[in-house]
Amino acid sequence: MKENLFKGYCHATDFEIMQFLWRWKVATTAALAARFYPKLKANSSYRRLTAIEKSGLITFQADERGRGFVWMLTKKGFDCVKERLPDLKEHGFKSEFIKHDHLVTAFQLGDFLLDCPKSVEFFTEQELRRYDPESYPSWVPKFLNHRPDGFTSVISGEDKKIFAIEVERNIKKDGAYRDVGDAYGRHSKIHRVLWLVEDETAATRLNRLLSEGESENPNQHCFFLESDFLKQGWHTPCKHGSDRSKTVREIIVNKPSTILKHVDAMFMLDMRKARPKSIPCGLANQS
C-alpha cells in the first residue's frame, strides 16, 4: 500500500492532521495547534507543522487576498490519506475558495473543535462531493439537485437533529434560491439550515426567497451575519428566520448545562502563520 512509503516520517498525529485537512480542506495554525498539540508551546507546535510541510505532505497558502494563511493538503499528502478512505467517485483535495472554506470549517466545527462528543457527527462538503452517495452514512440526506457546505447530526437522548450548513458569500439569482428552498422543503428530517451570509441585506433577501414555495418545515432557515461571527464565533445570534436571537451554540447544542469549551472566535479564525503565544480566555471558559 502507498501509505507504507510514508512510515519513515509520518507518525500518528501527522496522519490525523492530514486526514483532518482532507476532510475540512483548510485549517489555521491556531486551530491545528489547539486540536492536535494542546500541550506544546506556540513555537513548538508551529515547528511541528513546518516539519510536516518540509516532508511535502501539507502546505501553507495565502487566501485569495493574501491577508491570511491556512494549511492545506498536498498531492503527496492526499496519496497517503486516500489509502484509508472509502472508494471515491471523484478524487480531489484542494480548496478552490480558501476564504469560503475557512469560514465553513469555523462555522460548522465551531465549539466542537476541541471536544466533540460521540453524539455528534459531521459530514463535510468534501465528503459530499467525493463519496458515492451509496457510501454516505444513513443519516445524511441525499439531494438530487443541491449540495450544502456540510451536515451535522446531533443526538440528545432519543432525539436526533440534523443541521445543514450554508456559507453564502456570493449571492446568486433569485431563482437559484427558490430551487434550494424547494430542495430543503422536501427533506423534513433536516431540523435547521444554518446560513452564514455577508450582511443583513443578504439575510433578508434569502429569508424571503427561501420561504417562498411549499415546504413541510417552513421554519427551517436561520441566518447569521459574517461580521458578527468573526467577532463572536458560536455566540453569534440569529438575525433572521426561525430561532431568531438564539446563538449558533444554543441552536446546535440546545443544552445550557452541556459542558463544552467555547472556542474564542479570534482564535478559531486567526489566520496568522504562527500560533498565538497565549490562548485567548474564551478557550479556558466554559459556558
Side-chain angles (χ1 to χ4, degrees), residues 17-162:
I17 288 172
M18 290 190 291
Q19 286 182 310
F20 184 89
L21 289 176
W22 181 81
R23 192 180 192 193
W24 297 97
K25 296 186 182 179
V26 301
T28 63
T29 297
L32 291 177
R35 184 179 177 96
F36 296 102
Y37 306 123
K39 296 181 180 180
L40 293 185
K41 294 181 179 180
N43 289 339
S44 297
S45 58
Y46 180 62
R47 283 198 299 270
R48 180 59 249 173
L49 289 170
T50 55
I52 307 174
E53 181 184 30
K54 289 178 181 178
S55 297
L57 299 169
I58 63 177
T59 185
F60 210 37
Q61 189 163 327
D63 65 14
E64 291 83 355
R65 297 185 179 183
R67 297 178 180 176
F69 296 84
V70 294
W71 292 96
M72 300 171 57
L73 208 57
T74 64
K75 175 63 166 60
K76 190 175 183 179
F78 174 63
D79 286 341
C80 180
V81 169
K82 72 180 181 182
E83 295 293 339
R84 298 189 189 180
L85 296 174
D87 289 338
L88 303 178
K89 69 172 184 178
E90 176 185 335
H91 283 196
F93 59 93
K94 289 184 178 180
S95 170
E96 295 164 335
F97 303 100
I98 291 176
K99 184 62 178 178
H100 171 271
D101 293 338
H102 172 231
L103 287 172
V104 170
T105 299
F107 190 50
Q108 183 174 7
L109 194 53
D111 286 359
F112 291 131
L113 170 70
L114 304 179
D115 182 21
C116 186
K118 293 181 180 179
S119 58
V120 176
E121 293 183 67
F122 303 107
F123 206 67
T124 67
E125 194 274 340
Q126 182 83 288
E127 292 166 317
L128 285 166
R129 179 176 178 179
R130 309 299 180 185
Y131 288 178
D132 188 288
E134 295 301 318
S135 299
Y136 289 3
S138 59
W139 63 268
V140 175
K142 297 177 177 63
F143 287 126
L144 297 177
N145 60 350
H146 178 67
R147 182 176 66 228
D149 289 313
F151 287 110
T152 300
S153 168
V154 179
I155 298 176
S156 178
E158 296 183 357
D159 185 26
K160 185 171 189 173
K161 293 180 178 177
I162 297 173

Side-chain angles (χ1 to χ4, degrees), residues 267-287:
F267 185 79
M268 183 72 176
L269 296 162
D270 190 331
M271 296 182 77
R272 288 177 289 179
K273 290 184 177 181
R275 174 185 177 180
K277 292 184 178 180
S278 61
I279 297 177
C281 59
L283 275 175
N285 295 338
Q286 295 182 359
S287 297

